mmCIF file of all heavy atoms in Angstrom:
data_model
loop_
_atom_site.group_PDB
_atom_site.id
_atom_site.type_symbol
_atom_site.label_atom_id
_atom_site.label_comp_id
_atom_site.label_asym_id
_atom_site.label_seq_id
_atom_site.Cartn_x
_atom_site.Cartn_y
_atom_site.Cartn_z
ATOM 1 N N GLU A 825 -17.553 85.379 56.365
ATOM 2 C CA GLU A 825 -17.600 84.691 57.568
ATOM 3 C C GLU A 825 -16.626 83.426 57.679
ATOM 4 O O GLU A 825 -16.619 82.718 56.708
ATOM 5 C CB GLU A 825 -19.095 84.173 57.857
ATOM 6 C CG GLU A 825 -19.296 83.522 59.173
ATOM 7 C CD GLU A 825 -19.536 84.623 60.275
ATOM 8 O OE1 GLU A 825 -20.145 85.689 59.913
ATOM 9 O OE2 GLU A 825 -19.262 84.350 61.446
ATOM 10 N N ASP A 826 -15.956 83.324 58.773
ATOM 11 C CA ASP A 826 -15.116 82.183 59.042
ATOM 12 C C ASP A 826 -13.942 82.014 58.050
ATOM 13 O O ASP A 826 -13.594 80.825 57.733
ATOM 14 C CB ASP A 826 -15.927 80.880 59.157
ATOM 15 C CG ASP A 826 -16.756 80.897 60.388
ATOM 16 O OD1 ASP A 826 -16.517 81.603 61.395
ATOM 17 O OD2 ASP A 826 -17.761 80.162 60.391
ATOM 18 N N PHE A 827 -13.378 83.066 57.519
ATOM 19 C CA PHE A 827 -12.177 82.928 56.694
ATOM 20 C C PHE A 827 -10.946 82.952 57.659
ATOM 21 O O PHE A 827 -10.932 83.679 58.647
ATOM 22 C CB PHE A 827 -12.066 84.078 55.703
ATOM 23 C CG PHE A 827 -12.996 83.841 54.529
ATOM 24 C CD1 PHE A 827 -14.353 83.935 54.663
ATOM 25 C CD2 PHE A 827 -12.493 83.536 53.297
ATOM 26 C CE1 PHE A 827 -15.180 83.715 53.541
ATOM 27 C CE2 PHE A 827 -13.329 83.380 52.194
ATOM 28 C CZ PHE A 827 -14.618 83.382 52.311
ATOM 29 N N GLY A 828 -9.961 82.102 57.329
ATOM 30 C CA GLY A 828 -8.798 81.934 58.270
ATOM 31 C C GLY A 828 -7.994 83.270 58.290
ATOM 32 O O GLY A 828 -8.033 84.181 57.395
ATOM 33 N N ARG A 829 -7.124 83.271 59.386
ATOM 34 C CA ARG A 829 -6.363 84.548 59.597
ATOM 35 C C ARG A 829 -5.379 84.897 58.426
ATOM 36 O O ARG A 829 -5.086 86.011 58.250
ATOM 37 C CB ARG A 829 -5.565 84.377 60.866
ATOM 38 C CG ARG A 829 -4.455 83.337 60.974
ATOM 39 C CD ARG A 829 -3.970 83.106 62.342
ATOM 40 N NE ARG A 829 -3.032 84.232 62.781
ATOM 41 C CZ ARG A 829 -2.545 84.243 64.014
ATOM 42 N NH1 ARG A 829 -2.877 83.391 64.898
ATOM 43 N NH2 ARG A 829 -1.804 85.231 64.264
ATOM 44 N N SER A 830 -5.014 83.876 57.592
ATOM 45 C CA SER A 830 -4.166 84.129 56.556
ATOM 46 C C SER A 830 -4.877 84.795 55.348
ATOM 47 O O SER A 830 -4.241 85.471 54.458
ATOM 48 C CB SER A 830 -3.497 82.860 56.056
ATOM 49 O OG SER A 830 -4.404 81.934 55.579
ATOM 50 N N ASN A 831 -6.214 84.649 55.306
ATOM 51 C CA ASN A 831 -6.931 85.204 54.126
ATOM 52 C C ASN A 831 -7.902 86.335 54.514
ATOM 53 O O ASN A 831 -8.199 87.191 53.646
ATOM 54 C CB ASN A 831 -7.765 84.035 53.445
ATOM 55 C CG ASN A 831 -6.890 83.001 52.834
ATOM 56 O OD1 ASN A 831 -5.880 83.324 52.210
ATOM 57 N ND2 ASN A 831 -7.228 81.748 52.955
ATOM 58 N N ALA A 832 -8.414 86.336 55.701
ATOM 59 C CA ALA A 832 -9.583 87.225 56.031
ATOM 60 C C ALA A 832 -9.189 88.674 55.724
ATOM 61 O O ALA A 832 -9.963 89.387 55.104
ATOM 62 C CB ALA A 832 -9.890 86.991 57.490
ATOM 63 N N ALA A 833 -8.083 89.174 56.337
ATOM 64 C CA ALA A 833 -7.747 90.611 56.170
ATOM 65 C C ALA A 833 -7.409 90.878 54.718
ATOM 66 O O ALA A 833 -7.691 92.010 54.280
ATOM 67 C CB ALA A 833 -6.606 90.944 57.065
ATOM 68 N N ASN A 834 -6.664 90.057 54.030
ATOM 69 C CA ASN A 834 -6.328 90.248 52.606
ATOM 70 C C ASN A 834 -7.432 90.477 51.809
ATOM 71 O O ASN A 834 -7.609 91.409 50.897
ATOM 72 C CB ASN A 834 -5.503 89.019 52.030
ATOM 73 C CG ASN A 834 -4.147 88.952 52.708
ATOM 74 O OD1 ASN A 834 -3.616 89.987 53.219
ATOM 75 N ND2 ASN A 834 -3.532 87.854 52.623
ATOM 76 N N ILE A 835 -8.599 89.651 51.965
ATOM 77 C CA ILE A 835 -9.794 89.668 51.138
ATOM 78 C C ILE A 835 -10.573 91.018 51.497
ATOM 79 O O ILE A 835 -11.011 91.707 50.568
ATOM 80 C CB ILE A 835 -10.685 88.435 51.403
ATOM 81 C CG1 ILE A 835 -10.009 87.284 50.820
ATOM 82 C CG2 ILE A 835 -12.075 88.773 50.814
ATOM 83 C CD1 ILE A 835 -10.764 86.004 51.071
ATOM 84 N N LEU A 836 -10.689 91.283 52.818
ATOM 85 C CA LEU A 836 -11.390 92.558 53.254
ATOM 86 C C LEU A 836 -10.690 93.749 52.695
ATOM 87 O O LEU A 836 -11.323 94.661 52.106
ATOM 88 C CB LEU A 836 -11.531 92.552 54.684
ATOM 89 C CG LEU A 836 -12.102 93.856 55.300
ATOM 90 C CD1 LEU A 836 -13.657 93.953 54.852
ATOM 91 C CD2 LEU A 836 -12.008 93.854 56.836
ATOM 92 N N ASN A 837 -9.402 93.839 52.842
ATOM 93 C CA ASN A 837 -8.766 94.996 52.414
ATOM 94 C C ASN A 837 -8.725 95.237 50.852
ATOM 95 O O ASN A 837 -8.720 96.347 50.403
ATOM 96 C CB ASN A 837 -7.216 94.985 52.893
ATOM 97 C CG ASN A 837 -7.092 95.106 54.413
ATOM 98 O OD1 ASN A 837 -7.987 95.654 55.010
ATOM 99 N ND2 ASN A 837 -6.051 94.547 54.925
ATOM 100 N N LYS A 838 -8.860 94.085 50.078
ATOM 101 C CA LYS A 838 -8.950 94.154 48.660
ATOM 102 C C LYS A 838 -10.284 94.894 48.191
ATOM 103 O O LYS A 838 -10.218 95.664 47.249
ATOM 104 C CB LYS A 838 -8.714 92.835 47.999
ATOM 105 C CG LYS A 838 -8.751 92.897 46.506
ATOM 106 C CD LYS A 838 -8.388 91.598 45.859
ATOM 107 C CE LYS A 838 -8.405 91.664 44.379
ATOM 108 N NZ LYS A 838 -8.076 90.389 43.710
ATOM 109 N N TYR A 839 -11.393 94.520 48.885
ATOM 110 C CA TYR A 839 -12.645 94.825 48.369
ATOM 111 C C TYR A 839 -13.400 95.890 49.061
ATOM 112 O O TYR A 839 -14.363 96.455 48.557
ATOM 113 C CB TYR A 839 -13.526 93.592 48.312
ATOM 114 C CG TYR A 839 -13.068 92.531 47.409
ATOM 115 C CD1 TYR A 839 -12.458 91.363 47.970
ATOM 116 C CD2 TYR A 839 -13.068 92.660 46.032
ATOM 117 C CE1 TYR A 839 -11.956 90.379 47.148
ATOM 118 C CE2 TYR A 839 -12.530 91.653 45.212
ATOM 119 C CZ TYR A 839 -12.005 90.473 45.731
ATOM 120 O OH TYR A 839 -11.480 89.561 44.854
ATOM 121 N N LYS A 840 -12.922 96.319 50.319
ATOM 122 C CA LYS A 840 -13.752 97.221 51.062
ATOM 123 C C LYS A 840 -13.839 98.586 50.506
ATOM 124 O O LYS A 840 -14.788 99.358 50.862
ATOM 125 C CB LYS A 840 -13.196 97.263 52.597
ATOM 126 C CG LYS A 840 -11.863 97.965 52.732
ATOM 127 C CD LYS A 840 -11.388 97.922 54.118
ATOM 128 C CE LYS A 840 -10.027 98.631 54.383
ATOM 129 N NZ LYS A 840 -9.620 98.556 55.779
ATOM 130 N N LYS A 841 -12.967 99.034 49.657
ATOM 131 C CA LYS A 841 -13.022 100.378 49.022
ATOM 132 C C LYS A 841 -13.657 100.287 47.586
ATOM 133 O O LYS A 841 -13.771 101.299 46.912
ATOM 134 C CB LYS A 841 -11.631 101.015 48.962
ATOM 135 C CG LYS A 841 -11.036 101.306 50.371
ATOM 136 C CD LYS A 841 -9.828 102.031 50.256
ATOM 137 C CE LYS A 841 -9.247 102.354 51.636
ATOM 138 N NZ LYS A 841 -7.902 103.049 51.592
ATOM 139 N N GLU A 842 -14.124 99.039 47.229
ATOM 140 C CA GLU A 842 -14.620 98.888 45.919
ATOM 141 C C GLU A 842 -16.182 98.532 46.048
ATOM 142 O O GLU A 842 -16.930 98.957 45.107
ATOM 143 C CB GLU A 842 -13.993 97.743 45.193
ATOM 144 C CG GLU A 842 -12.461 97.942 44.962
ATOM 145 C CD GLU A 842 -11.817 96.799 44.299
ATOM 146 O OE1 GLU A 842 -12.469 95.874 43.792
ATOM 147 O OE2 GLU A 842 -10.499 96.861 44.208
ATOM 148 N N ILE A 843 -16.624 97.746 46.995
ATOM 149 C CA ILE A 843 -17.946 97.291 47.073
ATOM 150 C C ILE A 843 -18.413 97.352 48.466
ATOM 151 O O ILE A 843 -17.642 97.437 49.486
ATOM 152 C CB ILE A 843 -18.161 95.875 46.554
ATOM 153 C CG1 ILE A 843 -17.271 94.928 47.389
ATOM 154 C CG2 ILE A 843 -17.770 95.738 45.141
ATOM 155 C CD1 ILE A 843 -17.535 93.451 47.058
ATOM 156 N N PRO A 844 -19.728 97.322 48.782
ATOM 157 C CA PRO A 844 -20.246 97.267 50.159
ATOM 158 C C PRO A 844 -19.970 95.920 50.791
ATOM 159 O O PRO A 844 -20.508 94.901 50.296
ATOM 160 C CB PRO A 844 -21.711 97.560 49.991
ATOM 161 C CG PRO A 844 -22.014 97.904 48.608
ATOM 162 C CD PRO A 844 -20.814 97.478 47.783
ATOM 163 N N THR A 845 -19.021 95.840 51.643
ATOM 164 C CA THR A 845 -18.502 94.494 52.148
ATOM 165 C C THR A 845 -18.079 94.558 53.572
ATOM 166 O O THR A 845 -17.731 95.641 54.079
ATOM 167 C CB THR A 845 -17.432 93.870 51.284
ATOM 168 O OG1 THR A 845 -17.250 92.540 51.602
ATOM 169 C CG2 THR A 845 -16.142 94.657 51.415
ATOM 170 N N PHE A 846 -18.207 93.414 54.260
ATOM 171 C CA PHE A 846 -17.991 93.314 55.728
ATOM 172 C C PHE A 846 -17.454 92.010 56.051
ATOM 173 O O PHE A 846 -17.971 90.953 55.601
ATOM 174 C CB PHE A 846 -19.389 93.590 56.473
ATOM 175 C CG PHE A 846 -19.435 93.364 57.888
ATOM 176 C CD1 PHE A 846 -18.904 94.231 58.775
ATOM 177 C CD2 PHE A 846 -20.117 92.245 58.373
ATOM 178 C CE1 PHE A 846 -19.015 94.063 60.119
ATOM 179 C CE2 PHE A 846 -20.179 92.065 59.725
ATOM 180 C CZ PHE A 846 -19.640 92.946 60.628
ATOM 181 N N ASN A 847 -16.380 91.911 56.939
ATOM 182 C CA ASN A 847 -15.949 90.627 57.452
ATOM 183 C C ASN A 847 -16.368 90.523 58.959
ATOM 184 O O ASN A 847 -15.865 91.368 59.791
ATOM 185 C CB ASN A 847 -14.401 90.554 57.309
ATOM 186 C CG ASN A 847 -13.906 89.139 57.759
ATOM 187 O OD1 ASN A 847 -13.985 88.847 58.941
ATOM 188 N ND2 ASN A 847 -13.473 88.369 56.811
ATOM 189 N N ASP A 848 -17.228 89.551 59.229
ATOM 190 C CA ASP A 848 -17.726 89.501 60.518
ATOM 191 C C ASP A 848 -16.673 89.212 61.638
ATOM 192 O O ASP A 848 -16.697 89.775 62.731
ATOM 193 C CB ASP A 848 -18.841 88.482 60.616
ATOM 194 C CG ASP A 848 -19.582 88.456 61.904
ATOM 195 O OD1 ASP A 848 -19.880 89.597 62.407
ATOM 196 O OD2 ASP A 848 -19.889 87.376 62.452
ATOM 197 N N ASP A 849 -15.696 88.350 61.313
ATOM 198 C CA ASP A 849 -14.709 87.953 62.347
ATOM 199 C C ASP A 849 -13.766 89.110 62.608
ATOM 200 O O ASP A 849 -13.369 89.256 63.758
ATOM 201 C CB ASP A 849 -13.904 86.774 61.812
ATOM 202 C CG ASP A 849 -14.859 85.562 61.564
ATOM 203 O OD1 ASP A 849 -15.428 85.070 62.448
ATOM 204 O OD2 ASP A 849 -14.876 85.162 60.313
ATOM 205 N N ILE A 850 -13.469 89.872 61.567
ATOM 206 C CA ILE A 850 -12.536 91.035 61.855
ATOM 207 C C ILE A 850 -13.289 92.230 62.368
ATOM 208 O O ILE A 850 -12.795 92.872 63.333
ATOM 209 C CB ILE A 850 -11.779 91.423 60.480
ATOM 210 C CG1 ILE A 850 -10.972 90.223 60.168
ATOM 211 C CG2 ILE A 850 -10.970 92.624 60.609
ATOM 212 C CD1 ILE A 850 -10.224 90.527 58.783
ATOM 213 N N GLN A 851 -14.345 92.685 61.747
ATOM 214 C CA GLN A 851 -15.049 93.870 62.012
ATOM 215 C C GLN A 851 -16.187 93.689 63.038
ATOM 216 O O GLN A 851 -16.449 94.573 63.817
ATOM 217 C CB GLN A 851 -15.602 94.521 60.748
ATOM 218 C CG GLN A 851 -14.546 94.928 59.809
ATOM 219 C CD GLN A 851 -15.043 95.232 58.413
ATOM 220 O OE1 GLN A 851 -15.527 94.385 57.690
ATOM 221 N NE2 GLN A 851 -14.975 96.573 58.046
ATOM 222 N N GLY A 852 -16.950 92.584 62.925
ATOM 223 C CA GLY A 852 -18.187 92.365 63.754
ATOM 224 C C GLY A 852 -17.811 92.404 65.240
ATOM 225 O O GLY A 852 -18.482 93.157 66.038
ATOM 226 N N THR A 853 -16.899 91.578 65.650
ATOM 227 C CA THR A 853 -16.511 91.560 66.961
ATOM 228 C C THR A 853 -15.981 92.868 67.499
ATOM 229 O O THR A 853 -16.220 93.354 68.660
ATOM 230 C CB THR A 853 -15.498 90.417 67.327
ATOM 231 O OG1 THR A 853 -15.828 89.201 66.619
ATOM 232 C CG2 THR A 853 -15.367 90.127 68.749
ATOM 233 N N GLY A 854 -15.223 93.563 66.580
ATOM 234 C CA GLY A 854 -14.651 94.794 66.961
ATOM 235 C C GLY A 854 -15.793 95.857 67.295
ATOM 236 O O GLY A 854 -15.645 96.652 68.169
ATOM 237 N N ILE A 855 -16.837 95.891 66.508
ATOM 238 C CA ILE A 855 -17.902 96.813 66.744
ATOM 239 C C ILE A 855 -18.545 96.553 68.030
ATOM 240 O O ILE A 855 -18.836 97.482 68.821
ATOM 241 C CB ILE A 855 -18.971 96.741 65.618
ATOM 242 C CG1 ILE A 855 -18.304 97.038 64.240
ATOM 243 C CG2 ILE A 855 -20.076 97.691 65.888
ATOM 244 C CD1 ILE A 855 -19.201 96.765 63.048
ATOM 245 N N VAL A 856 -18.818 95.225 68.350
ATOM 246 C CA VAL A 856 -19.466 94.864 69.595
ATOM 247 C C VAL A 856 -18.694 95.179 70.806
ATOM 248 O O VAL A 856 -19.113 95.787 71.775
ATOM 249 C CB VAL A 856 -19.888 93.366 69.603
ATOM 250 C CG1 VAL A 856 -20.547 93.025 70.905
ATOM 251 C CG2 VAL A 856 -20.872 93.047 68.482
ATOM 252 N N VAL A 857 -17.336 94.898 70.764
ATOM 253 C CA VAL A 857 -16.416 95.230 71.890
ATOM 254 C C VAL A 857 -16.330 96.744 72.026
ATOM 255 O O VAL A 857 -16.376 97.214 73.161
ATOM 256 C CB VAL A 857 -15.036 94.632 71.625
ATOM 257 C CG1 VAL A 857 -14.059 95.216 72.600
ATOM 258 C CG2 VAL A 857 -15.131 93.107 71.700
#
């Protein structure tokens, strides 16, 4: 939650295929929209 634009996608992309993880700013709003 609330990671800046320079870090948010990098962190999500690194871990999303390794562990159950979710970035609310990137993915949460996308799901709702």
Side-chain angles (χ1 to χ4, degrees):
E825 186 80 32
D826 288 341
F827 282 69
R829 64 191 286 175
S830 61
N831 293 321
N834 290 339
I835 292 172
L836 176 64
N837 290 335
K838 180 173 182 178
Y839 298 107
K840 68 181 182 180
K841 293 183 179 179
E842 300 177 8
I843 61 173
T845 191
F846 171 75
N847 184 294
D848 190 43
D849 301 297
I850 294 176
Q851 295 168 292
T853 313
I855 301 171
V856 176
V857 169

